[in-house]
Amino acid sequence: MEVRIISDPMKADTRRREIKTSSKREVTKISEIYVCLAAIMLIGIMLLGGIYTNICAKNVQSQYRLEDLREEKAKLEKERLSLRLEVNKLSSLERIEKIAEKELGMAHPANRYILDMRNHSVLQASLTDIAAADSGLDGSRE
Amino acid sequence: MFRENRKISSEETERHRGKSANETAADAFGWKKKVRKRIKGVCLFMLIFIFVPLMAKLAWMQSVEHEKYVKYAKGQHNGNNTIPAIRGAITDRKYVVLANSISLPTVQANPSIVKDKERASLLLSQILECPQDIIRAKLSIPGTFTYIQRKVSDDKAEKIKKLKDAGELYGVDVVPEPTGKRFYPKGNLGAHIIGITGLDDQGLDGIEAVMDPYLAGKPGSIRSEISRDNVTIPGGISAITPAEPGKNIVLTIDESVQYIVENSLRKAVKAYGAESGSVLVMDAKTGEILALANMPDYKSTDPKSKEYMMLTRNKCVTDAYEPGSTFKVVLAAAALDSGKVNINDQIPCGDIVMVDGWDLHNANDGFGGNATETITDIIAYSFNTGSVHIGLRMGLKIYYGYIKAFGFGDVTGIELPGETEGILPAMEDIKKIDLATMSYGQSISVTPLQIVSAVQGTINNGEQMRPTIIRQILDQDGNIIKDFKPEIKSRPINSETSFLMNKIMRNVIENGTGKHAKIPGYLAGGKSGTANICENGVYQKGMYNASFVGYAPAEDPKFVMIVKIEKPKGTIWGGSVAGPIFSEIGREILWALGIPPSFPNEINKMAGEQQEKTN
């Protein structure tokens, strides 16, 4: 290591000041870098924090949505059952009979007549016609 | 300053007492030492007796009782929300719903935190349509929990929730119930079959009780963190146990047939001024119950009333009665099948027969007999004396064997609660007179179901099917879990005997006591019965069971039906009371099932005659 002895006190003082200034400059430079790094990190952390918060918020939001949907599903299922019950109530034979008799003025038939289709010639003929028409339709489809 | 003055004055005092300053300083030091010592003592005392136990307790809580307090803590911030399990539905054979459940919320309260009980009770009484006094009383009980009203409608629950959100009704909650509320969309239809459920939706009677293990679901739960207002915190769900809904039960009954039966029976019980009536319709081929009704029914009766318990009895399976002449079907089948009597045999049939010193005679129903009759006529005109001769000719051992083979004295195994096996005395206890009376259906008690089942076996080529009322068990998606196939229970008679019995029973309706049971346009068979009612061991004068058991169409039977009218007023004969009901119900059932008549001209002729009369 080379050691230079400066005999002039003025020079020595200037030199000391220079060294001091340059070291000060270096320190400032380094600290600026650190500040920059810190700022970048801070921004990064803030960004990450923001993203994380956003994800969390969305997660909570979707959880709320899920809860709502679950409730909605239960509600709809209940509604389905209620409607099924209502349909069954409305289609009860007792109710239908009551409406038929009281509102529509219908009555149970006192006399019932039977038309025996097996021995009815006119009906037999029309049934044959229908059967023939049906087979014709089938043929045209082919 | 004050201290200095005190010091000076004490020094002066000491000086006055003749002590030196050094001595005084030494005394003061000693006093301080004492005070320090005392403070130390107090601290030590506190440390030993207060802090050490506290620390020990803390250590105990943290180590030994750790789980317990964790549980407490979780209990405070974790909540269990119930997922209601819906009870399965009950449907008829065409999947028409007869009973189903819907989950409804319950209103409950913590009376200790309800602030303005007067206002709360007023608001709740208005919404729940319940007297304010009752709600006030509920809110006034000491404690932290009370039900205000269980299973309220959604509209009412919503109104209460709105009031709660507006800051009213603090301490009142609307919560889901673990079970639903049962609804019967067809009202009273099939009441004795379906039964009832309790407040917790548990089966208490009928199919509801018997099939409860299948019908009842298992409530689930959501374990999650909850807020102060008992609201689930999203994302805080820790465990979900899904609810298991109950299974659906498909019955063998047909809604239309059941409706026809109930309507006709209700009218008949009223018309005859009878105490009660029962009708049971069974599929002649499979043994499936198509309809079962008892009148009066009970669903419209107050459950707290005295007659309620009596009306809940499903008399078709729970009440045994002396069947009277309907039991002659079993006698004739046994006699013909055993070969002890041939179809053309002439059997003594006088007005009176004496057995063991007892005079047994024919019923005074207007049908006079000859000295001898064939088995066909004995059954057609229901001669008791002829039946006694047939019974005695067969002997106890053979007759008893057939009675057992037809299933009397045993339960049929139908899936309905409270079925009785009837009363069939042990063979060794039966004397000659008992055998004689059993030949025409006395000294033995049976249920209407047993009689129907025996007739079904008689006309179904001798194959007696196991009576059943359940067809299928389905899951909530409609998949079949269990299918109840018709199963042959026994073969008490052979097919030749069955053929002969069909002829004999047809003759009852064509020429005998069952003329009133004729179904116009159709061939039907059957047997009437009139039995004196025995109460407290004594036959009651003027009290009879009038019954008719029959089937149609006779060429290819579709159903077997029993009509039993208890204590009719006026006419008492089975053929005259139960016969017309059989005819009416039978005709409607055949029309509802779409069975074409064998003799349509007969219907047209009847209709024409009636038309003429009207004109």
Side-chain angles (χ1 to χ4, degrees), chain B residues 322-336:
Chain B
E322 286 188 307
S325 296
T326 51
F327 203 71
K328 286 174 188 163
V329 173
V330 178
L331 177 89
L336 291 169

Side-chain angles (χ1 to χ4, degrees), chain A residues 78 85 88 97 111 114, chain B residues 100 103 154 186 259 604 610:
Chain A
K78 200 169 163 181
L85 187 75
N88 275 291
E97 193 175 11
N111 305 314
I114 304 286
Chain B
N100 73 341
S103 69
D154 286 326
K186 308 291 176 186
Y259 182 70
N604 293 341
Q610 276 183 0

Side-chain angles (χ1 to χ4, degrees), chain B residues 157-314:
Chain B
E158 207 55 47
K159 279 179 191 168
I160 293 171
K161 272 182 190 169
K162 270 183 192 166
L163 279 174
K164 213 174 137 53
D165 291 343
E168 305 261 12
L169 298 176
Y170 182 74
V172 177
D173 274 317
V174 178
V175 294
E177 272 274 347
T179 55
K181 189 176 179 179
R182 205 64 166 160
F183 289 94
Y184 300 97
K186 308 291 176 186
N188 279 4
L189 193 86
H192 283 97
I193 302 167
I194 299 164
I196 47 165
T197 56
L199 191 59
D200 289 320
D201 224 12
Q202 77 281 26
L204 297 179
D205 200 4
I207 291 293
E208 297 276 23
V210 173
M211 299 307 282
D212 198 50
Y214 289 100
L215 285 165
K218 207 173 161 192
S221 64
I222 300 179
R223 186 160 182 76
S224 60
E225 286 178 55
I226 47 164
S227 69
R228 204 172 68 93
D229 303 325
N230 207 21
V231 174
T232 304
I233 297 169
I237 294 172
S238 57
I240 298 179
T241 313
E244 285 175 32
K247 312 283 180 289
N248 296 335
I249 304 293
V250 182
L251 299 180
T252 59
I253 69 160
D254 184 307
E255 186 206 7
S256 315
V257 178
Q258 182 71 27
Y259 182 70
I260 292 164
V261 165
E262 287 190 12
N263 257 2
S264 298
L265 183 62
R266 191 177 290 116
K267 280 182 214 156
V269 168
K270 204 175 167 190
Y272 289 108
E275 193 173 287
S276 68
S278 302
V279 172
L280 199 154
V281 185
M282 181 187 270
D283 187 305
K285 300 275 186 322
T286 61
E288 290 176 336
I289 304 297
L290 296 174
L292 182 157
N294 300 287
M295 286 293 156
D297 53 1
Y298 67 94
K299 279 204 173 162
S300 48
T301 314
D302 179 11
K304 285 171 190 162
S305 65
K306 278 180 188 171
E307 61 267 30
Y308 182 77
M309 277 310 286
M310 281 305 291
L311 296 180
T312 57
R313 293 170 73 105
N314 186 355

Side-chain angles (χ1 to χ4, degrees), chain A residues 60 63-64 67 70 78 81-82 84-85 88-89 91-94 97 110-116 118, chain B residues 97 100 102-103 154 183 185-186 234-235 237 240 255-256 259 263 588 591 600 603-604 607-608 610-611:
Chain A
V60 170
Q63 291 283 353
Y64 269 109
E67 281 294 314
R70 203 175 273 144
K78 200 169 163 181
L81 284 169
S82 302
R84 193 180 171 201
L85 187 75
N88 275 291
K89 261 186 198 169
S91 63
S92 106
L93 296 173
E94 195 181 346
E97 193 175 11
N111 305 314
R112 288 174 184 172
Y113 289 94
I114 304 286
L115 188 63
D116 193 350
R118 291 167 296 190
Chain B
V97 176
N100 73 341
I102 291 176
S103 69
D154 286 326
F183 289 94
K186 308 291 176 186
I237 294 172
I240 298 179
E255 186 206 7
S256 315
Y259 182 70
N263 257 2
E588 295 299 324
W591 280 70
I603 298 174
N604 293 341
Q610 276 183 0
Q611 190 80 41

